[in-house]
Amino acid sequence: MGRWEPNAQSRLRQAAMDLYAERGFDQTTVAEIAERAGLTERTFFRHFADKREVLFAGSERLQALLLKSVAESPLLSEAAAGPAALAAVAAAFEVAAADYFPPVEYSRQRQRVIDANPPLQEREVAKMDRISAALAGILRERGVGDLAAALAAEAGTGAFKVAFTRWVADPADGSLLGHVREAIAELRTLLPATA
Amino acid sequence: MGRWEPNAQSRLRQAAMDLYAERGFDQTTVAEIAERAGLTERTFFRHFADKREVLFAGSERLQALLLKSVAESPLLSEAAAGPAALAAVAAAFEVAAADYFPPVEYSRQRQRVIDANPPLQEREVAKMDRISAALAGILRERGVGDLAAALAAEAGTGAFKVAFTRWVADPADGSLLGHVREAIAELRTLLPATA
């Protein structure tokens, strides 16, 4: 980002989100996004590959953050059993929830755009599925058994999805971290009584 | 299905799967599928909306079966708490695993086709996500709280996805039901030690 384009990326992101909300995702062009942001198309393409990437550019960084957290998790330092695996995944999502996400109003706006467009919904779901698969892979590298790794990744990612959905729908503006902690705690109550 | 077209649907399905495996999904036409099955295109379209539906036609029936099972589950007859919700979802997937799925060799063939084609992968993932959302909905109708319903649906569906993946990858030809039971049992071990 040049000195003459302060906050270009966030201006482009907000301009895109406003236009997607006003006109619909399919009806918005990159030229319009750039114009709304007071920037050039060339600047847009320095920050995003296409108009869809404005919505999903963060997911690679999210995945990298989660994988790093699990790769370095002290919870997995000894016998890497299933409970430690789920705890490590939960802790990674808590770190991400605390540090990574934009303000709730932006996330809500993004969610409305995605909810209105089935191909974007499929992409969002596929993105979370890839994150789950990547988490299972790093758990296996840390010595967790194949089945436990896959289940811990699925359960933890599923709990995060539920928490995220509740966060963007929550009129009380609770924190994402609060929702993640609540979901993980509730997940823990689902199992023992029927074990 | 007319008397003069015995097993037309399963013949079309197998012909499609063989062609998708030989040529790739994108390179196969409905005309070729019908010809391979010894049937007309018109017959194909009586059974499937398009060539993609050959792969996914079963998912509505699977979803209906799961919803019916949870809607009628005796596990939810009293206080519909989280553990009962997960147990009901697990039982529904066990019923489906026992009764619903085609032989493993067909499922393996289908999986190879899907694994080779990212848009089909996204559709498969989206299909399971819709099943999870529908299960959460029926649990809420049965009186389960919003958060517990969403988490039980996600955890149960996630365990099923893991079991299904292991089933089609399992060289020992174990039963899908066996894999589902193993995954649910393992899921139950993930939580207590870190509760």
Side-chain angles (χ1 to χ4, degrees), chain B residues 13 23-24 26 32 45 56 86-87 123 144-146 151 176 182:
Chain B
R13 193 180 279 124
R23 303 177 187 187
D26 288 332
E32 291 168 332
F45 289 115
F56 296 105
L86 182 63
R123 189 171 174 84
V144 178
D146 188 67
L151 289 168
L176 177 56
E182 186 186 12

Side-chain angles (χ1 to χ4, degrees), chain A residues 83 86 146 166 188 191 194, chain B residues 86 146 166 188 190-191 194:
Chain A
L86 182 62
D146 187 67
R166 289 167 66 86
R188 294 196 188 290
L191 298 186
T194 49
Chain B
L86 182 63
D146 188 67
R166 289 167 65 88
R188 294 195 189 291
L190 295 191
L191 297 187
T194 47

Side-chain angles (χ1 to χ4, degrees), chain A residues 5-20 30-48 51 54 106:
Chain A
E5 291 167 3
N7 304 314
Q9 184 161 332
S10 64
R11 282 161 60 195
L12 287 164
R13 195 181 278 125
Q14 190 59 57
M17 218 56 64
D18 291 343
L19 287 164
Y20 298 162
V30 166
E32 291 167 334
I33 295 168
E35 190 190 351
R36 176 73 65 102
L39 297 164
T40 63
E41 281 190 69
R42 192 176 152 150
T43 301
F44 178 95
F45 288 116
R46 270 212 302 280
H47 291 280
F48 302 104
K51 66 175 181 171
V54 180
Y106 179 88

Side-chain angles (χ1 to χ4, degrees), chain B residues 2-3 17 21 23 30-31 46 59 62 66 76 79-80 83 93 104 109 122 128 135 144 173 176 184 190:
Chain B
R3 171 175 307 211
M17 218 56 64
R23 303 177 187 187
V30 167
R46 272 212 302 281
S59 79
L62 172 60
L66 293 167
L76 293 169
F93 276 114
V104 68
Q109 220 179 339
E122 293 209 356
M128 294 309 296
L135 285 170
V144 178
D173 275 356
L176 177 56
I184 297 289
L190 295 191

